[in-house]
Amino acid sequence: MTFFNTIDETPEELAESQAKAKTQGEKILDCFYSCDEPLSPSMVLARSELNCPITSIRRAMTNLSTEGQLQKTNDYVKGIYGKREHLWALPPDGEQSESYTQSSLEFSKASASSGLSR
């Protein structure tokens, strides 16, 4: 599991954060194995008893998909904020799924000139 060091942590802090991220991923996978059904990020947050923001769950699930340990389905459920969320599942019969790549928006001069920034 990956921790993205966007906050310039010290090497000691980074090691701790990476260990926590790995633990999150393991707990999320355990949730899928114990439930044996597709789950949304909100469902994982409720069932895993992780004490973290839902964005951390989503990040971890995306990373697990990139690693081939989960796969995003085309099915939706209503999430904790009332919006649709995709369901995610373990690959069939323990096979690794194809890597999932999140699409990104292309940078254009129009968005740069409109004052949008990251």
Side-chain angles (χ1 to χ4, degrees), residues 11 23 26 30 41-44 47 49 54 62 64 66-67 83 88-90 93 100-102 113-114:
T23 302
E26 290 168 354
D30 287 346
S42 294
M43 295 164 80
V44 169
R47 294 177 187 197
E49 299 180 6
I54 193 163
T62 298
L64 288 166
T66 300
E67 295 168 5
K83 297 292 184 182
W88 303 66
L90 292 168
D93 299 325
Y100 165 75
T101 304
Q102 186 153 346
S113 64
S114 69

Side-chain angles (χ1 to χ4, degrees), residues 3 9 16 21-22 25 27 32 51 70 92 100 105 114 116:
F3 173 79
E9 290 190 340
E16 183 179 334
K22 183 175 182 181
K27 287 181 180 179
F32 277 91
N51 185 22
L70 285 180
Y100 165 75
L105 298 174
S114 69
L116 298 176

